[in-house]
Amino acid sequence: MQTVQTILEKHRVSDSLAQAIHCVLDCSKEISVLLQKGAMAGVLGSAENENVQGETQKKLDVISNDLLKERLAECPVVAGIASEEEDLPVAANEDGQYLVIYDPLDGSSNIDINVTVGTIFSILPSRGEDPSKEATYLQNGRQQVAAGYVLYGPATMLVMSTGKGVDIFTLDPTSNEFVLTQEQVQITPSTKEFAINMSNQRFWAEPVQTYVSDLLAGEEGPLAKRYNMRWIAAMVAEVHRILNRGGIFMYPWDNREPNKPGKLRLMYEGNPMSMLVEQAGGLSVNGEINIMDIEPEKIHQRVPVFLGSKEEVEKALSYHKA
């Protein structure tokens, strides 16, 4: 039986980085238990406040965020913390080597109906800069030393990369350990599945309108292939499906809020998911360039996302270039 620690040792991950990863995973195990208890634990429903994004928080958003923030602050290798649910970064330990960035509960609108949600995390080097300052965290995705997510579904699963491929682990309820169940996952280069929120179609830019119309045209259309559409409204679930059977996930820019480049957050969602997708042989772009090549300007920056099977993402990209 290979555990997370076994794989970290196999990939020669430093003890300090392993410690930071284990701290995130220990929190995720507690979140998993709360989700399994659901209404019995009193964690369902909305909290009476909004996050920095102006979104209504769920009770478990707040609980998960507080749990991660408190535990990571106690982890000696963590210099600073940034959360999608927090206005500003939080300094942790003066001698810490890493910055941990996270979305405590992606897809939280699904909590009350018992549909898959997850915790997304990204780990960056601290570089000795002030962890209370936003500028310290503004590193592009290529600087990530680890990234992953914990998926809370029928099974609790960890998907992680430290820059040496992507491995998938399943939480064994008997030992309470994440056990390796899929090693060195690869995304199929071609696909017949796409995921996009079709209710926003009228707001998309012309290249996306044209591309999705061609997808829907099937065998008789210019792409000469019948596609199926999927939409779960939780990025962790969408990416997990793509890692296992291919596909393309899209959350493009739309014209409802022209000053916002997209809905998803570069630091909390775009970069960690892009690292996983690229490490598994896929592609992740914003419609122009690779997402991990974007130089961030602010901690809560948004970004359009097109990721998944390489050939299909390149096809979508060609519509933008045309």
Side-chain angles (χ1 to χ4, degrees), residues 4-314:
V4 171
Q5 185 58 35
T6 308
I7 297 302
L8 292 176
E9 290 172 359
K10 180 179 178 179
H11 292 167
R12 299 183 179 179
V13 171
S14 68
D15 290 343
S16 58
L17 179 55
Q19 188 175 353
I21 291 169
H22 281 300
C23 187
V24 173
L25 300 187
D26 288 345
C27 293
S28 74
K29 293 173 185 177
E30 294 189 41
I31 295 168
S32 178
V33 170
L34 289 171
L35 279 163
Q36 289 169 24
K37 291 181 178 179
M40 295 184 294
V43 297
L44 302 186
S46 297
E48 296 180 359
N49 53 292
E50 295 183 343
N51 64 13
V52 65
Q53 322 293 340
E55 301 164 337
T56 300
Q57 291 176 303
K58 295 289 187 177
K59 289 179 183 177
L60 202 53
D61 276 326
V62 177
I63 293 168
S64 301
N65 181 64
D66 289 346
L67 177 62
L68 281 157
K69 183 169 67 173
E70 290 169 10
R71 296 296 176 82
L72 286 166
E74 294 169 356
C75 185
V77 299
V78 176
I81 306 155
S83 167
E84 185 182 86
E85 302 295 332
E86 299 276 341
D87 291 1
L88 297 169
V90 177
N93 299 284
E94 187 175 349
D95 297 326
Q97 299 109 295
Y98 303 103
L99 307 170
V100 181
I101 298 175
Y102 60 86
D103 179 351
L105 209 61
D106 178 71
S108 58
S109 61
N110 287 330
I111 292 172
D112 295 345
I113 55 171
N114 201 30
V115 174
T116 302
V117 294
T119 298
I120 307 173
F121 64 93
S122 166
I123 302 179
L124 293 164
S126 70
R127 306 191 300 193
E129 299 172 9
D130 186 347
S132 67
K133 303 294 185 184
E134 183 175 334
T136 301
Y137 298 77
L138 301 183
Q139 305 176 37
N140 70 36
R142 303 290 175 198
Q143 307 306 310
Q144 295 175 109
V145 292
Y149 61 81
V150 177
L151 187 80
Y152 311 111
T156 296
M157 306 185 80
L158 163 67
V159 179
M160 184 177 65
S161 177
T162 56
K164 297 180 180 178
V166 176
D167 297 312
I168 299 180
F169 305 81
T170 302
L171 184 62
D172 179 354
T174 304
S175 65
N176 203 34
E177 291 281 351
F178 281 104
V179 176
L180 181 69
T181 46
Q182 289 175 259
E183 191 169 9
Q184 296 296 294
V185 177
Q186 287 288 298
I187 299 172
T188 58
S190 61
T191 183
K192 293 184 178 180
E193 288 190 345
F194 71 98
I196 195 167
N197 186 348
M198 286 294 292
S199 68
N200 295 332
Q201 182 175 12
R202 64 194 183 279
F203 304 114
W204 298 335
E206 184 178 348
V208 182
Q209 294 266 14
T210 305
Y211 172 59
V212 173
S213 294
D214 289 350
L215 292 175
L216 296 173
E219 299 96 327
E220 294 78 21
L223 302 180
K225 191 184 334 184
R226 177 177 292 184
Y227 287 81
N228 290 322
M229 193 190 106
R230 300 287 183 261
W231 186 250
I232 306 173
M235 192 181 189
V236 287
E238 306 285 0
V239 171
H240 197 71
R241 183 184 63 251
I242 287 168
L243 284 168
N244 280 278
R245 68 185 198 199
I248 180 171
F249 167 80
M250 296 173 278
Y251 216 121
W253 172 89
D254 65 50
N255 62 21
R256 286 173 297 172
E257 297 182 77
N259 294 326
K260 288 184 179 178
K263 182 180 186 295
L264 300 176
R265 286 73 177 182
L266 172 64
M267 305 299 289
Y268 308 102
E269 296 159 322
N271 278 338
M273 291 307 200
S274 295
M275 181 176 180
L276 293 173
V277 167
E278 285 197 12
Q279 285 288 315
L283 185 61
S284 180
V285 302
N286 69 347
E288 296 179 356
I289 64 171
N290 288 23
I291 285 175
M292 289 200 293
D293 292 328
I294 297 171
E295 295 297 337
E297 297 175 357
K298 51 187 177 180
I299 193 72
H300 294 295
Q301 183 171 333
R302 297 175 187 252
V303 64
V305 172
F306 301 80
L307 62 75
S309 295
K310 188 173 182 180
E311 291 176 7
E312 199 62 47
V313 176
E314 287 174 340

